[in-house]
Amino acid sequence: MDFSDDLLARLEHARHVMFFTGAGVSAESGIPTFRDAMHGLWARFDATELATPEAFARDPALVWGWYEWRRMKVLQAQPNPAHRAIAALAADRRVSIVTQNVDDLHERAGSTVCAHLHGHLSRPRCFDCGLPTRHPAGTPTPADGGARMTPPSCRKCGGPLRPGVVWFGETLPESDWQAAMAALASTDLLFSVGTSSMVWPAAEIPGWASRRGSCVVQVNPQTTALDEIADFNLRGPAGQVLPALLAASERRRHAR
Ligand code: BJW
Ligand code: ZN
């Protein structure tokens, strides 16, 4: 895989690199994306029945069971070469990871994540009083995405636990959003990796970086709305593109 010398020079000289990641960065770990036509979650499941507070209020067991199925898939998955390349790139430069993903695969690859804009699968809280809590011990065993499971009850008020993710119509966690904005202020090279750039307000981040003068690089096998803004479009799976970029960057450095 060839990379332009201009891109490699920008990577070498960047003072602060941001990786803005979406579901595609975890796809090669076996975690389904949302909007991919064949295997995306929204091709098989109805978002309005699963990913809104109204859906949970209507049918908590349907929603809890679906998220337990997804949590089990993440527990069984491993970080892939894309997660590992991002962690390696942070070894000798300043890197901030801002992710829309609710999995912990960046962390398990050795990265510190600056912001989880859409929350965490593994941090439930009470739907009624908001008390944060943990999942009961043991691995969930829903048979498939359609298995209903009654959510555990809050120890304080008895209300149902809900997944710690951000549903449609909900605001993003304030501290994560502020951390992302603070990191963005000094970012001079942003990689947008594996996101369709469709979900607001997170999707605005690469555009804001570009308007501030940051170089924007997109890593995605498909075209997205970001193509027009990105300075470089690296067309391919992140698990191939990012390790190749890391290797090319190291070769360039050692050639000097
Ligand atoms: C690869 C690859 C490989 C594949 N390598 N790449 C109309 C217009 C504008 C906005 C709105 C609107 N109507 C409603 C809204 C607001 C709404 C929104 O943006 N909706 C749009 C869909 C239209 N946003 C919200 O509601 C947000 N909150 C909000 O706006 O609050 C303010 C407010 C509050 C109250 C009233 C009014 C306003 C909250 C958004 C929360 C999003 N939540 C989800 C679910 C999280 C929980 C869960 O996991 O179930 O977050 S939706 C889902 O989309 C998930 C993701 O984080 C998010 C982004 O998806 P992502 O990561 O981009 O995945 P995909 O599948 O879309 O793309 C994958 C990409 O990877 C593809 O491009 C592939 O090609 C690529 N790929 N393999 C590299 N190997
Ligand atoms: Zn409670």
Side-chain angles (χ1 to χ4, degrees), residues 64-88:
W64 184 262
W66 189 68
Y67 277 96
E68 282 297 89
W69 168 68
R70 290 188 41 212
R71 188 167 73 88
M72 184 186 65
K73 287 183 88 67
V74 170
L75 285 170
Q76 292 169 345
Q78 297 299 327
N80 68 53
H83 299 106
R84 287 197 288 273
I86 293 171

Side-chain angles (χ1 to χ4, degrees), residues 126 129 154 157:
C126 176
C129 76
C154 172
C157 77

Side-chain angles (χ1 to χ4, degrees), residues 34-239:
F34 293 91
R35 298 176 182 78
D36 283 309
M38 292 288 284
H39 304 293
L41 290 169
W42 298 156
R44 297 164 54 201
F45 302 99
D46 182 348
T48 61
E49 282 181 14
L50 294 161
T52 69
E54 294 78 16
F56 185 83
R58 236 179 358 252
D59 193 344
L62 177 74
V63 175
W64 184 262
W66 189 68
Y67 277 96
E68 282 297 89
W69 168 68
R70 290 188 41 212
R71 188 167 73 88
M72 184 186 65
K73 287 183 88 67
V74 170
L75 285 170
Q76 292 169 345
Q78 297 299 327
N80 68 53
H83 299 106
R84 287 197 288 273
I86 293 171
L89 279 159
D92 53 3
R93 74 198 85 216
R94 184 172 174 208
V95 165
S96 294
I97 299 170
V98 172
T99 189
Q100 299 165 85
N101 295 347
V102 295
D103 65 48
D104 61 353
L105 295 174
H106 282 304
E107 287 91 339
R108 281 158 54 195
S111 293
T112 300
V113 172
C114 166
H116 271 276
L117 296 177
H118 294 159
H120 297 261
L121 272 178
S122 55
R123 296 200 192 157
R125 65 177 185 274
C126 176
F127 187 66
D128 291 343
C129 76
L131 184 75
T133 183
R134 291 184 177 178
H135 287 273
T139 310
T141 52
D144 58 55
R148 306 164 71 87
M149 291 177 80
T150 304
S153 301
C154 172
R155 66 173 186 278
K156 185 170 143 201
C157 77
L161 298 193
R162 59 158 286 176
V165 302
V166 181
W167 284 324
F168 288 111
E170 295 188 309
T171 51
L172 275 50
E174 182 63 19
S175 59
D176 290 80
W177 184 252
Q178 292 305 337
M181 293 301 108
L184 194 61
S186 58
T187 294
D188 52 358
L189 174 59
L190 180 143
F191 284 86
S192 174
V193 184
T195 175
S196 59
S197 301
M198 285 176 61
V199 177
W200 187 86
E204 303 238 61
I205 287 177
W208 287 334
S210 176
R211 284 196 285 283
R212 281 192 56 261
S214 170
C215 174
V216 172
V217 183
Q218 178 171 226
V219 180
N220 199 313
Q222 307 290 334
T223 60
T224 75
L226 191 61
D227 281 38
E228 287 179 16
I229 295 168
D231 300 284
F232 300 92
N233 281 296
L234 307 180
R235 204 71 79 204

